[in-house]
Amino acid sequence: MTSQHESSIDRRLFLGAVGALILLGQPALAQDGKSEAKPDAKADAVAKRLSDTIADFVVGFDPKSLPPLAIERARLAFIDTLAVMLAGSREEGSEIVCEMIRQEGAAPKVSVVGQSFRTSPQLAALANGVAAHIMDYDMSSLLGQPTSPIIPALLPLAENTGATPAEVTAAFIVGFEVCLKLARSAPEQALVGGWHAVSSIGTMGAAMACARLIRVPREHIADVLGIAASLSGGLSANFGTMTKPLHSGTSARNAILAATLGGAGFTASAAALENPVSGYFRAFDRGIKVSFDPFAELGRRYDIVERGFKPKRYPCGGLGHTAIDATLELRNEFNVADVTAIKASITKYAASRIGDKYPTSIESAKFSMPYVAAYTALYGAPMLEAFTEEAIADEKIKALARKVSVAIDPEFADIVDESPSRVTVTLGDGRTVQRVRYYASGTPQAPLTKEQIEEKFFTCAERSVHKTAATKIFAFLNRFDEERSFAELWVLVARG
């Protein structure tokens, strides 16, 4: 027997689906998955599923329609992502994944970023995706980092097919736009649903990017999308462990898998997204507000222009970056020896991802508010050197971290699109100093400077390659949209 609560969930999702189907010119679907009434011939001719709308965009997208800002941001996305992939390739989790890949003994077709061996495109995407996300230094946007798997998947696919930088740029923008439309359709999927958008959304966005790159026929795009929807997942319970970046790796690998199979005729449901009984939104967003309105903007309004993304200033969980910024701004107003308490007031969403305990590993340090707040107050911005075993064992940080508390700020508790923070420091004489930061460093409202972008790139890249190679990679990426071939890049990024 269906409970009253479950029935209300079904009605909410069903009504949301009906509204969206009407918006997109689609026939409404009843809860049993059948049409409530057979549409007439004229209505049937114009009816479109979500997969049709997305397929039209994937195949019909014209890069010439983009303003210069879109190309500039795409270039920055490749600069930032290659940097963190090179740095991440040296992390322990990446080494474990790469050892597994070596043991697989796949045909050595393509390069792996930051490594000296070659492997299959899917396994290269797996390694690239883990490396891109393992330091939590990759760019973020809505619901975290849903676009993380796109570039890790596109690079090996591009090498395998001989695609040009212009083709890869167009494919990236296709994937980015699909990711953000999915994120905007269900903005509470991560907070309420508990899903990690890198996988629950990123798999499908990356699959659409791959489908664009390998020119999957229009009639098979729905199959690619349906396969990718079934391969999506990722639990936020695994934040602070190596499994979090594994979500990015498996999403990149699964994107190539979905595009390859779907393009070859492997079938999936054309209504895999919106089926109100058993579709993606029904499964992932049960009881959560869903609107398909954003899909109507595909090819008309671009999120890469209107919303952009956020290259990270600090290599840790992005939801805590405003607290770091606020603490940095306060450092000149107190002596650490006089501090009796530090209170970080944040959003509910941030609190669901950021811990209030001292870390037990490098991974958990990236999501520990007591750790990052104490480190920042003592030593300044928490850069790469902050996330080492030696830093975590620092007794000064441990002592100050015991004075750090985390609370939900009533002023901006329910904000999801941004992650504002209020940091209040109480001193021994009873005085308090406070700072509020609404936008973090790296957001479009507080963008990184050219110097900060370059500094981040070389700090990351030189963990994996020599400075000479890093300089050549940086120069290549800065003229990325003007290059005719990737041949120079493959040699440079593959050096272990």
Side-chain angles (χ1 to χ4, degrees):
M1 181 176 179
T2 304
S3 69
Q4 182 178 355
H5 176 61
E6 181 67 14
S7 296
S8 67
I9 289 175
D10 288 345
R11 284 196 298 272
R12 285 197 299 271
L13 183 63
F14 173 62
L15 291 173
V18 170
L21 294 169
I22 292 171
L23 171 72
L24 294 172
Q26 301 176 17
L29 299 177
Q31 282 181 279
D32 63 0
K34 299 177 182 178
S35 299
E36 287 188 323
K38 182 177 177 60
D40 58 32
K42 181 178 180 181
D44 189 54
V46 299
K48 292 177 67 177
R49 294 186 175 93
L50 288 178
S51 58
D52 290 320
T53 301
I54 294 171
D56 287 343
F57 173 64
V58 172
V59 174
F61 168 62
D62 182 4
K64 294 178 182 178
S65 66
L66 293 170
L69 179 59
I71 302 301
E72 179 183 331
R73 285 182 171 166
R75 189 187 307 122
L76 175 58
F78 278 87
I79 291 172
D80 192 75
T81 303
L82 258 294
V84 298
M85 286 169 67
L86 286 166
S89 71
R90 289 296 177 266
E91 294 293 301
E92 181 184 3
S94 288
E95 292 175 357
I96 294 172
V97 168
C98 286
E99 180 55 31
M100 182 206 74
I101 291 172
R102 290 188 188 94
Q103 292 178 14
E104 289 287 309
K109 290 187 175 182
V110 297
S111 310
V112 179
V113 173
Q115 305 295 338
S116 58
F117 68 93
R118 296 169 68 82
T119 187
S120 67
Q122 285 187 41
L123 290 178
L126 172 65
N128 289 346
V130 171
H133 197 52
I134 198 164
M135 298 173 66
D136 233 283
Y137 212 0
D138 46 322
M139 64 186 192
S140 60
S141 52
L142 299 181
L143 305 190
Q145 293 128 300
T147 61
S148 178
I150 300 175
I151 292 175
L154 287 177
L155 291 178
L157 200 58
E159 184 176 7
N160 192 50
T161 61
T164 67
E167 290 169 334
V168 172
T169 299
F172 167 75
I173 292 173
V174 164
F176 186 96
E177 292 301 317
V178 172
C179 275
L180 263 67
K181 300 302 185 287
L182 286 164
R184 289 171 54 205
S185 293
E188 296 180 329
Q189 184 183 101
L191 173 61
V192 179
W195 297 105
H196 185 198
V198 162
S199 181
S200 64
I201 288 174
T203 305
M204 288 182 287
M208 293 299 94
C210 292
R212 166 76 183 204
L213 190 65
I214 63 175
R215 298 185 178 89
V216 170
R218 164 68 177 75
E219 63 269 23
H220 291 315
I221 297 293
D223 296 315
V224 176
L225 191 62
I227 296 167
S230 273
L231 297 177
S232 300
L235 301 176
S236 61
N238 279 310
F239 278 33
T241 74
M242 293 179 186
T243 300
K244 183 177 188 282
L246 182 62
H247 295 162
S248 179
T250 55
S251 296
R253 180 197 63 194
N254 288 341
I256 296 179
L257 175 63
T260 303
L261 290 177
F266 201 91
T267 63
S269 169
L273 291 185
E274 71 269 32
N275 187 299
V277 175
S278 56
Y280 167 85
F281 284 106
R282 175 69 172 90
F284 281 78
D285 302 289
R286 190 169 304 193
I288 300 173
K289 179 182 178 182
V290 174
S291 169
F292 297 164
D293 292 5
F295 290 101
E297 298 177 6
L298 279 170
R300 301 174 183 175
R301 302 177 66 177
Y302 292 95
D303 283 311
I304 198 168
V305 174
E306 297 190 10
R307 289 171 176 80
F309 52 82
K310 311 162 190 176
K312 286 187 173 182
R313 177 68 175 139
Y314 317 111
C316 56
L319 294 172
H321 283 204
T322 48
I324 294 171
D325 287 331
T327 305
L328 285 173
E329 292 176 4
L330 287 172
R331 285 189 78 223
N332 293 331
E333 299 185 26
F334 62 83
N335 292 318
V336 172
D338 298 330
V339 173
T340 60
I342 299 176
K343 181 180 180 181
S345 301
I346 56 180
T347 67
K348 291 178 183 176
Y349 182 37
S352 72
R353 299 293 190 267
I354 299 174
D356 59 357
K357 301 294 189 295
Y358 199 81
T360 57
S361 65
I362 293 173
E363 289 81 18
S364 60
K366 295 174 180 291
F367 299 91
S368 167
M369 183 61 77
Y371 179 77
V372 295
Y375 184 99
T376 303
L378 281 164
Y379 302 121
M383 307 306 283
L384 295 179
E385 63 275 8
F387 301 99
T388 61
E389 296 291 352
E390 293 77 13
I392 295 170
D394 188 322
E395 292 299 331
K396 291 182 180 179
I397 300 176
K398 289 182 178 180
L400 186 57
R402 286 192 284 269
K403 301 177 182 179
V404 177
S405 63
V406 183
I408 305 298
D409 195 293
E411 182 180 332
F412 38 71
D414 297 319
I415 293 175
V416 175
D417 289 352
E418 299 296 337
S419 184
S421 298
R422 184 192 313 274
V423 174
T424 305
V425 179
T426 303
L427 306 175
D429 61 5
R431 290 187 304 115
T432 62
V433 291
Q434 186 181 100
R435 189 74 81 248
V436 174
R437 274 294 294 259
Y438 197 90
Y439 298 108
S441 296
T443 59
Q445 296 83 1
L448 300 184
T449 65
K450 290 183 178 179
E451 292 75 18
Q452 288 173 325
I453 293 169
E454 185 170 344
E455 176 190 13
K456 177 180 177 179
F457 179 86
F458 282 98
T459 300
C460 287
E462 288 176 31
R463 294 189 73 196
S464 182
V465 299
H466 294 299
K467 185 173 183 178
T468 301
T471 301
K472 291 179 179 179
I473 295 169
F474 190 66
F476 180 94
L477 295 174
N478 270 290
R479 59 176 190 272
F480 182 73
D481 52 304
E482 302 170 7
E483 293 288 338
R484 295 186 177 182
S485 169
F486 278 111
E488 176 186 356
L489 187 67
W490 305 139
V491 177
L492 295 169
V493 301
R495 293 175 182 172

